[in-house]
Amino acid sequence: MAIVEEGAAGAARRWTGIDLTEIEVLESVRSHGRVWEDLAAQYGVTNPDPPWKIDLEATCDMLAGDSCVKPYDQVEAGSCALPSLERRAEEDELSETLYEDVPFPERQLLALAHSLIKRGLIDEAELASRLEEVGKRLKSV
C-alpha cells in the first residue's frame, strides 16, 4: 500500500512513500516478459515506441485528474485516484529498486501497475487473469 500520513483534522493527507514488497504477477512479467525493442525487431516494426505507450500516458493523466495542473498542496485528498506527483515519485523509487533492470517504457508500466495494486485500485488476481487471457489470444493468432 502507498504510505500516507494523516494530517490534523481538516488537513490534507500526504504521501510519504510506497510499499516496495514484490508483487507476484508483476515479478513474473518482469522476469519472463518481452520488451518492445525485442518484439519490434522480431516483427520488423520500426516505430521506437510501443503502440500501448500513448494509452499508458493517457491512463496516468486520467488517474491524476486535476493534480496535473494544481500545486501539490492544493490537491484535495481523494479528488483523484493517483496524484501525478505521487505517481512520479513512486515510479522513480520503483525504477531504482524493483524494476531497475527493466527498460523504459515497460518499467513505467510495471511501476504504475505496482502503485495501483498497492493502493487497492486494481486486484492482483484480476490482473493475472487478464494477462493470461491476452496471452492466450496472442498465441492463438
Side-chain angles (χ1 to χ4, degrees):
M1 137 180 289
I3 303 165
V4 179
E5 286 182 347
E6 291 290 335
R13 299 166 12 131
R14 288 290 153 230
W15 174 87
T16 60
I18 183 154
D19 178 348
L20 294 173
T21 307
E22 292 180 354
I23 297 171
E24 186 178 337
V25 67
L26 299 181
E27 279 304 299
S28 176
V29 170
R30 184 191 63 72
S31 59
H32 299 102
R34 297 189 56 207
V35 297
W36 175 247
E37 184 177 357
D38 295 343
L39 292 170
Q42 178 181 346
Y43 294 104
V45 177
T46 57
N47 187 342
D49 291 329
W52 48 262
K53 187 172 186 287
I54 192 72
D55 292 333
L56 172 61
E57 292 169 359
T59 299
C60 291
D61 288 346
M62 295 303 295
L63 289 166
D66 65 358
S67 73
C68 291
V69 295
K70 286 184 176 177
Y72 186 67
D73 62 346
Q74 292 180 13
V75 176
E76 293 183 35
S79 67
C80 59
L82 183 57
S84 59
L85 289 178
E86 292 178 20
R87 182 195 57 79
R88 284 190 231 143
E90 291 176 8
E91 181 182 325
D92 289 348
E93 194 168 344
L94 290 162
S95 294
E96 294 170 358
T97 55
L98 293 180
Y99 306 122
E100 67 183 338
D101 61 336
V102 179
F104 181 84
E106 289 84 355
R107 176 176 53 231
Q108 182 183 20
L109 182 61
L110 287 174
L112 177 62
H114 188 106
S115 294
L116 294 175
I117 289 170
K118 291 298 183 177
R119 288 170 179 261
L121 297 172
I122 60 174
D123 179 72
E124 181 180 358
E126 177 67 17
L127 178 60
S129 173
R130 299 273 179 142
L131 288 171
E132 187 176 326
E133 285 176 32
V134 170
K136 286 178 183 176
R137 280 188 296 208
L138 287 173
K139 290 175 184 170
S140 69
V141 177

